[in-house]
Amino acid sequence: QMMNLDERWNHITIATGIKEVTELENEYNRLIDRIKALTENISKEEKTRRQFELKMLQSQINPHFLYNTLDTINWLAFKEKQTEICNLVAAISSLIRASISNKKSIITIEQELDYVKNYIYIQHIRYKDRFDIIYDIDESLLKQAVPKLIIQPIVENAIIHGIENSKNKNLLYISVKRENECIIIIVKDTGIGMTDEKVSELLKEPLNAEGDEQKAHTNLGLYAVHKRIQLMYGDLYGLTVQSQAGEGTTVTLHIPFTKKQEMFYRQSPH
């Protein structure tokens, strides 16, 4: 039996209404699921945050003890007129304070190079005459603002990966130059070099390799520098690595040149 026009309209209206209610119910269920997921994520994040805060509090205990111990060693060395030991302790103290302190995340290239020189002084004492160093620094760039500890980890990587296992005397070259609107920082060593596979791993997030803490530490250093630079300045900047087994390694760091150096101080997280 044919429905009249009103009956057909009512049928269509009811069907449409049922469809809209069903879609609304589905959307509501999806919203509830999303709220539950967000709530669970917030709980996990809160737990992670509290664990991080606890670790931070625990980590603050050891440095004070360490600083006091280093001061005592320095005083004893000074008393015995052991100048080299005094200088070594001072260099170690400076590096530890730089790596632990969060008060100043942005420094100048000049300050960063001071950390590099302290680190190299320590390694010269350790490795004796295993390497020479050449600095090629454009002094007009010394007041440029940069994230703290971006050159020192690269130098550490050069010594640990390139020079430590080399049987020859090596050269470490550190350059800071400007090319147009970019600052180019180069750390080059004439050490044992790396395979293409190792080079490709350096700028990837390192896995926690058991039994190889030194490798994980140095890999993390380069990866962390690369990611920090990209987060701060963009994907056009960061690190590139070139190496050849038996020939040495060159790490090149790109950051933007700026005339208004204070700009990056304002942008820096505190």
Side-chain angles (χ1 to χ4, degrees):
Q1 186 178 356
M2 297 290 293
M3 289 186 292
N4 60 36
L5 187 60
D6 289 341
E7 288 175 335
R8 289 177 63 189
W9 175 253
N10 289 336
H11 179 76
I12 292 171
T13 303
I14 291 170
T16 303
I18 292 172
K19 182 181 178 182
E20 289 177 349
V21 169
T22 302
E23 290 179 353
L24 185 61
E25 183 179 4
N26 290 338
E27 185 65 29
Y28 175 78
N29 289 334
R30 285 194 293 270
L31 181 61
I32 293 298
D33 291 340
R34 179 62 177 158
I35 290 172
K36 286 181 180 178
L38 287 172
T39 303
E40 289 175 0
N41 286 337
I42 290 171
S43 298
K44 290 178 182 178
E45 288 176 4
E46 179 65 18
K47 183 178 179 181
T48 302
R49 185 182 68 81
R50 291 185 179 277
Q51 289 175 342
F52 178 74
E53 287 178 352
L54 178 60
K55 288 180 180 179
M56 287 294 291
L57 288 172
Q58 290 171 338
S59 70
Q60 289 174 9
I61 298 171
N62 291 332
H64 291 297
F65 171 75
L66 183 57
Y67 295 148
N68 290 337
T69 303
L70 289 172
D71 285 342
T72 302
I73 295 172
N74 205 0
W75 179 79
L76 290 172
F78 178 78
K79 185 179 178 182
E80 296 297 323
K81 298 182 180 180
Q82 296 289 334
T83 305
E84 189 173 70
I85 295 177
C86 288
N87 293 337
L88 184 61
V89 171
I92 293 170
S93 296
S94 176
L95 284 173
I96 291 173
R97 290 182 191 278
S99 62
I100 292 176
S101 174
N102 292 318
K103 292 180 179 179
K104 201 172 185 181
S105 60
I106 299 294
I107 59 176
T108 64
I109 288 178
E110 185 175 26
Q111 290 170 313
E112 176 69 14
L113 288 174
D114 284 341
Y115 294 141
V116 168
K117 289 171 183 176
N118 282 328
Y119 178 77
I120 288 174
Y121 178 79
I122 295 167
Q123 295 295 37
H124 262 147
I125 297 295
R126 181 181 179 186
Y127 293 113
K128 302 298 180 183
D129 298 323
R130 294 279 295 280
F131 67 94
D132 288 329
I133 182 163
I134 295 176
Y135 293 98
D136 185 12
I137 312 297
D138 182 344
E139 294 189 357
S140 69
L141 300 174
L142 289 177
K143 299 305 179 184
Q144 282 284 308
V146 294
K148 181 175 66 176
L149 297 178
I150 58 170
I151 304 177
Q152 184 276 328
I154 303 174
V155 172
E156 181 175 349
N157 179 78
I159 292 175
I160 298 300
H161 282 289
I163 294 174
E164 185 178 70
N165 296 319
S166 175
K167 296 179 181 179
N168 303 318
K169 185 169 184 177
N170 295 279
L171 181 66
L172 184 62
Y173 170 83
I174 300 173
S175 169
V176 180
K177 300 291 182 181
R178 177 186 172 187
E179 291 184 8
N180 298 321
E181 298 308 308
C182 191
I183 295 176
I184 310 296
I185 299 171
I186 296 173
V187 177
K188 181 178 181 180
D189 69 79
T190 59
I192 61 173
M194 288 176 278
T195 62
D196 291 342
E197 183 181 1
K198 285 186 177 180
V199 169
S200 66
E201 290 177 356
L202 282 178
L203 300 183
K204 293 180 180 178
E205 185 173 4
L207 300 174
N208 290 329
E210 292 185 7
D212 199 355
E213 293 182 2
Q214 187 180 67
K215 178 181 176 182
H217 170 69
T218 52
N219 280 17
L220 177 60
L222 286 193
Y223 171 78
V225 169
H226 183 61
K227 296 306 292 184
R228 283 165 59 209
I229 291 173
Q230 289 196 329
L231 286 170
M232 186 166 188
Y233 303 117
D235 292 343
L236 294 176
Y237 302 96
L239 302 184
T240 57
V241 182
Q242 293 179 314
S243 187
Q244 187 174 347
E247 297 294 330
T249 302
T250 299
V251 178
T252 305
L253 187 159
H254 297 79
I255 57 173
F257 169 79
T258 175
K259 293 179 181 178
K260 296 181 179 179
Q261 297 162 17
E262 70 277 3
M263 176 175 66
F264 291 112
Y265 282 90
R266 292 200 302 268
Q267 291 179 352
S268 169
H270 295 287

